[in-house]
Amino acid sequence: MNILIRSIKYLFIFVLLVFIAVLIFAATFDANNYKPQIIEQAEKATGRSFTIDGDINLSVFPWVGLKVENVSLGNEKGFKAEQFAAIKQLDVKVNVLPLLKKEVEINTIRLHGLNVSLEVAKDSSNNWSSLAQAEVPAEGAETPVAEETPQPAGEQESALPLQSLRVEGFEFVDAVISYDDRSSNTLAKVSELNLTTSAIAFDEPVDVEFGARVENSQPAIDTRLEMSTQLTFNKELTTYSLRDLVFTIIADANEFIPQQEQVEIKSSVHVSMDEQHVALKQVKISALGTTTLADIAVSQFLQTPLIQGDICLL
């Protein structure tokens, strides 16, 4: 008995020392000391310049988190834009201990100031394909194929859905995506792209706000998009509800219509993946001085879609 008590005592001391060591490591570790190595590996993997002008803040315990600012990836040689992609701020933290119980707790996910330049040259080559090719094995190299073996019951249970999800919110703010196709003389730009949410959890309504400006050169169209709704989904990710959905389109398209036009769509949407059923209830479309009311149901949308409903033009 004394030996058992002594062993438990030593084990407790060992665990306590490990815990203290982790806390000291987390408090003293500075990821900025490894910035040159991070940049070197990123440039080696992509074949492009990579810069981190801001600080890297890394947390280890009890929240595993990363906050980095002013990161940019250079463009492919032969293309116009100086940078292929840049981010002003990325901030995310995940609570470690709840993961052991298949519970996810995340702070507000922030992605601010994303700027992406997509380009197509006159010969139809583009500036993004090489990034995917960098991960593809060289021609002739053998790719190992994992053998499929039956999973034990314990492993099958590990594939079950999460028990709970809690995200304080999502901020995708001030994003810009540019598209320059010199093979067809087409320019397009999505700017003022914002997507924000309230706290995210299973079976609880999530306030969602979306906005963007879309400009296109051929045909010349300048469009503003706005959307708001309350999104609810279950933990199996098989049912989704969009309550009080309001989608607004404000377009300037002088080639088609002489003046600015606004289209507003209101509805509530319910989606069941198991039943392959989508219901759009109390749809109201206001455009070109007219109002259309409808109730629409779509079934078997993964096979042969069947659309039914009533439409009334006022």
Side-chain angles (χ1 to χ4, degrees):
M1 180 64 71
N2 290 334
I3 296 176
L4 178 60
I5 294 175
R6 191 180 298 114
S7 300
I8 294 175
K9 179 180 178 181
Y10 289 152
L11 178 61
F12 176 76
I13 294 174
F14 173 74
V15 172
L16 181 61
L17 290 175
V18 171
F19 181 73
I20 293 173
V22 170
L23 290 180
I24 294 174
F25 172 79
T28 59
F29 178 78
D30 187 357
N32 291 287
N33 295 331
Y34 297 89
K35 191 184 293 185
Q37 291 91 328
I38 295 172
I39 293 174
E40 179 183 358
Q41 291 301 316
E43 292 183 338
K44 182 178 179 182
T46 63
R48 305 185 185 190
S49 62
F50 184 75
T51 60
I52 305 175
D53 292 332
D55 290 336
I56 303 174
N57 296 313
L58 184 66
S59 59
V60 179
F61 189 84
W63 291 80
V64 174
L66 172 67
K67 180 179 180 181
V68 63
E69 297 178 341
N70 299 322
V71 178
S72 63
L73 177 65
N75 204 358
E76 181 84 356
K77 291 182 179 179
F79 292 89
K80 294 192 301 183
E82 180 179 353
Q83 299 173 342
F84 171 74
I87 296 174
K88 289 184 179 179
Q89 183 189 87
L90 172 63
D91 185 5
V92 61
K93 289 181 180 178
V94 180
N95 200 347
V96 177
L97 296 179
L99 294 176
L100 301 176
K101 298 183 292 182
K102 294 184 181 179
E103 298 175 354
V104 175
E105 292 183 13
I106 305 175
N107 74 334
T108 299
I109 302 172
R110 294 181 176 90
L111 179 56
H112 291 192
L114 173 67
N115 194 318
V116 179
S117 296
L118 305 176
E119 298 182 59
V120 179
K122 289 185 177 181
D123 62 0
S124 296
S125 61
N126 62 62
N127 68 335
W128 63 85
S129 294
S130 62
L131 293 175
Q133 293 170 358
E135 301 178 359
V136 177
E139 186 176 351
E142 294 185 0
T143 304
V145 178
E147 295 183 2
E148 294 186 2
T149 55
Q151 291 185 338
E155 293 184 10
Q156 291 178 355
E157 291 178 359
S158 66
L160 292 175
L162 297 173
Q163 295 301 314
S164 69
L165 169 69
R166 188 73 184 178
V167 182
E168 292 181 9
F170 183 80
E171 295 179 5
F172 187 75
V173 179
D174 293 333
V176 178
I177 303 174
S178 302
Y179 179 76
D180 182 358
D181 187 346
R182 291 189 289 281
S183 67
S184 61
N185 294 321
T186 300
L187 294 173
K189 184 178 182 180
V190 180
S191 60
E192 304 173 30
L193 179 57
N194 298 284
L195 175 62
T196 59
T197 74
S198 62
I200 302 171
F202 295 131
D203 299 310
E204 294 184 15
V206 181
D207 294 329
V208 180
E209 299 284 341
F210 168 81
R213 180 181 182 182
V214 182
E215 301 169 89
N216 189 72
S217 64
Q218 292 187 7
I221 300 177
D222 185 353
T223 306
R224 293 186 180 275
L225 308 175
E226 295 180 359
M227 187 272 290
S228 64
T229 188
Q230 279 194 334
L231 169 66
T232 305
F233 55 93
N234 63 353
K235 68 178 181 180
E236 292 80 18
L237 301 179
T238 55
T239 62
Y240 304 86
S241 293
L242 298 172
R243 182 182 175 187
D244 298 329
L245 172 66
V246 180
F247 184 56
T248 304
I249 305 171
I250 303 174
D252 286 309
N254 294 330
E255 294 184 19
F256 306 101
I257 51 179
Q259 60 187 12
Q260 187 182 83
E261 186 59 43
Q262 176 173 318
V263 178
E264 184 179 72
I265 303 172
K266 296 182 178 181
S267 181
S268 290
V269 182
H270 180 77
V271 179
S272 173
M273 301 300 296
D274 290 337
E275 299 176 2
Q276 295 189 42
H277 186 268
V278 178
L280 292 84
K281 299 180 179 180
Q282 298 177 335
V283 180
K284 181 179 179 181
I285 304 174
S286 302
L288 300 173
T290 63
T291 299
T292 303
L293 303 178
D295 282 297
I296 302 172
V298 182
S299 56
Q300 302 177 8
F301 57 80
L302 295 178
Q303 301 171 355
T304 304
L306 177 61
I307 303 175
Q308 297 176 312
D310 298 317
I311 297 177
C312 176
L313 181 62
L314 301 182

